[in-house]
């Protein structure tokens, strides 16, 4: 198949492109910066890959069977009023653009599937509730962002199969939330961030990529699908495992203030959490590579370590 991907140069996108390319699918990288994307996907390593800047997105989408929409300014950063606005606007802007391009195409050349990212922030935060795809949305800022992001994607032509993946915190060795947390974790001797009681709905990078891949090719994947591992953990447990991997003890809590200095309001992404279960993915028979009685421990099996 031929797949166009926004946000392909990001943490999840890069791994998705590698997977699709390795399986001989054609990939169109829809980016704001061709020169950046060409460095990430050198033609020697990725022969045949198409890198498109606007206004070439239109032709790329026209020639695709599927579209994956991952673009958005990073969330785990210090939230100034301007960044907060951009967190929402960047997602709505790119999603609207993609939807307009898809909807404007004649039926005969329209992609048949759109897989669009959203986040578990949709549900708001809670230390006690358990959320699945049927749960209502929360009432904080991130919930509002996710609602509007999803509502924009839902405007896609009704003949296009839409899978909205509510992604949890993605764990992988080359970036994402962990890359931000680890330096703090090391400074503060590896204790939990905040109270440690907050829920942490994680998913391994390989699993979120597999889920998106499956959603592209399997017609049963439609509507909202939580992209989280089946065993969310309390944050203290996550830190204990990370402490073991990093060779740091995990008993001294990282104070909230330290995290807020680094991340500002964005600290809420790790200081407040939600327990989200992937009910739909399990119903669909999706097999998680990283999910077991060992809790989050199996995540580190792919050789990620930092020792
Ligand atoms: P990244 O931050 O790594 O990459 C996102 C991509 O979005 C970038 O490579 C960039 O592509 C594009 N982008 C960045 N800023 C802007 C902007 N201002 N306007 C338009 N496009 C922009 O994201 P991830 O790979 O980590 O995540 C992919 C999606 O999944 C994101 O939307 C994210 O919110 C969501 N998600 C991720 C989670 C995680 O733990 N990683 C958790 C929950 C949701 P380019 O420069 O090529 O245009």
């Amino acid at each position: 198949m031929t797949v166009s991907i926004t946000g392909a140069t990001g943490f999840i996108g890069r791994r998705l492109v590698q997977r699709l390319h390795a399986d001989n699918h054609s990939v169109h990288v829809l980016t704001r910066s061709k020169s950046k994307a060409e460095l990430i996907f050198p033609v020697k390593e990725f022969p045949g890959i198409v890198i498109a800047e606007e206004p070439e997105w239109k032709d790329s989408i026209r020639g695709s069977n599927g579209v994956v929409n991952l673009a958005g300014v990073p969330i785990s950063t210090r939230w100034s009023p301007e960044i907060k606005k951009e967190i929402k606007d960047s997602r709505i802007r790119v999603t609207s653009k993609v939807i307009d391009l898809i909807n404007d195409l004649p039926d005969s050349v329209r992609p048949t599937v759109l897989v669009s990212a959203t986040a578990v922030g949709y549900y708001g935060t809670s230390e006690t509730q358990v959320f699945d795809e049927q749960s209502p949305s929360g009432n904080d800022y991130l919930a509002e962002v996710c609602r509007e992001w999803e509502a924009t994607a839902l405007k896609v032509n009704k003949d296009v199969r839409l899978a909205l993946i509510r992604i949890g915190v993605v764990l992988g060795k080359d970036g994402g939330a962990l890359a931000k947390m680890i330096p703090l974790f090391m400074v503060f001797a590896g204790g939990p961030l905040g109270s440690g009681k907050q829920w942490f709905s994680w998913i391994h990078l390989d699993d979120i990529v597999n889920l998106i891949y499956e959603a592209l090719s399997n017609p049963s994947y439609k509507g909202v699908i939580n992209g989280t591992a089946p065993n969310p953990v309390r944050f203290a447990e996550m830190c204990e495992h990370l402490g073991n991997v990093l060779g740091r003890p995990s008993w001294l809590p990282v104070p909230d203030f330290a995290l807020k200095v680094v991340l500002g309001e964005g600290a809420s992404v790790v200081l407040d959490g939600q327990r989200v279960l992937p009910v739909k993915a399990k119903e669909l028979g999706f097999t998680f590579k990283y999910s077991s009685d060992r809790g989050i421990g199996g995540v580190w099996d792919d050789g990620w370590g930092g020792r």
Side-chain angles (χ1 to χ4, degrees):
M1 64 185 156
T2 299
V3 184
S4 284
I5 309 173
T6 73
T9 58
F11 177 49
I12 300 172
R14 266 176 280 164
R15 185 70 73 95
L16 178 65
V17 171
Q18 283 165 2
R19 264 291 312 274
L20 288 164
H21 191 264
D23 287 355
N24 294 317
H25 297 296
S26 298
V27 178
H28 294 201
V29 169
L30 309 188
T31 181
R32 294 165 305 159
S33 164
K34 225 176 208 179
S35 52
K36 176 179 99 172
E38 281 167 354
L39 287 177
I40 295 173
F41 305 112
V43 74
K44 256 184 162 177
E45 230 178 291
F46 296 90
I49 203 168
V50 174
I51 295 178
E53 251 178 33
E54 282 188 72
E56 299 159 347
W57 286 22
K58 187 176 180 181
D59 288 338
S60 278
I61 289 181
R62 168 185 270 269
S64 296
N65 310 98
V67 177
V68 179
N69 179 37
L70 297 171
V73 78
I75 282 180
S76 50
T77 178
R78 218 181 146 72
W79 289 358
S80 62
E82 295 75 32
I83 288 182
K84 222 168 148 180
K85 186 170 179 320
E86 189 57 10
I87 284 174
K88 193 203 274 186
D89 289 357
S90 61
R91 285 168 173 78
I92 308 295
R93 203 170 50 233
V94 178
T95 307
S96 286
K97 177 88 210 164
V98 166
I99 298 301
D100 287 348
L101 292 175
I102 293 176
N103 289 356
D104 284 350
L105 286 170
D107 293 350
S108 56
V109 289
R110 190 178 289 123
T112 55
V113 54
L114 169 65
V115 182
S116 204
T118 160
V120 294
Y122 174 90
Y123 300 111
T125 64
S126 171
E127 275 187 19
T128 52
Q129 280 174 276
V130 181
F131 301 104
D132 65 23
E133 287 86 352
Q134 304 301 323
S135 304
S137 183
N139 48 24
D140 58 16
Y141 168 69
L142 285 178
E144 179 193 314
V145 171
C146 292
R147 274 198 308 276
E148 288 193 30
W149 197 6
E150 293 184 13
T152 309
L154 280 162
K155 292 182 185 153
V156 74
N157 181 292
K158 293 298 165 235
D159 292 338
V160 177
R161 178 168 57 84
L162 173 66
L164 283 167
I165 315 282
R166 289 192 187 136
I167 305 175
V169 183
V170 180
L171 300 182
K173 62 181 170 184
D174 300 322
L178 274 186
K180 299 250 173 182
M181 280 153 49
I182 284 173
L184 266 182
F185 194 80
M186 296 301 272
V187 170
F188 285 93
L193 306 182
S195 74
K197 285 193 205 140
Q198 70 272 38
W199 282 99
F200 188 69
S201 290
W202 59 279
I203 183 164
H204 192 279
L205 181 57
D206 286 351
D207 280 326
I208 194 65
V209 165
N210 286 343
L211 191 68
I212 294 170
Y213 194 110
E214 200 59 34
L216 277 169
S217 45
N218 186 332
S220 305
Y221 283 61
K222 54 184 167 207
V224 173
I225 303 171
N226 288 336
T228 57
N231 55 322
V233 292
R234 298 263 185 196
F235 206 75
E237 190 184 336
M238 147 76 193
C239 290
E240 197 183 317
H241 283 288
L242 190 55
N244 289 337
V245 171
L246 294 171
R248 310 286 293 184
S250 181
W251 50 268
L252 185 64
V254 176
D256 290 11
F257 80 82
L259 207 62
K260 283 182 181 149
V261 166
V262 180
L263 295 179
E265 230 185 315
S268 67
V269 174
V270 284
L271 287 176
D272 309 306
Q274 57 283 103
R275 187 181 186 188
V276 179
L277 300 181
V279 171
K280 186 93 161 271
K282 290 186 96 176
E283 278 169 12
L284 287 162
F286 180 77
T287 308
F288 287 88
K289 190 168 157 194
Y290 296 96
S291 125
S292 71
D293 298 340
R294 292 168 300 153
I296 204 168
V299 162
W300 320 113
D301 289 352
D302 71 344
W304 189 87
R307 271 184 217 267

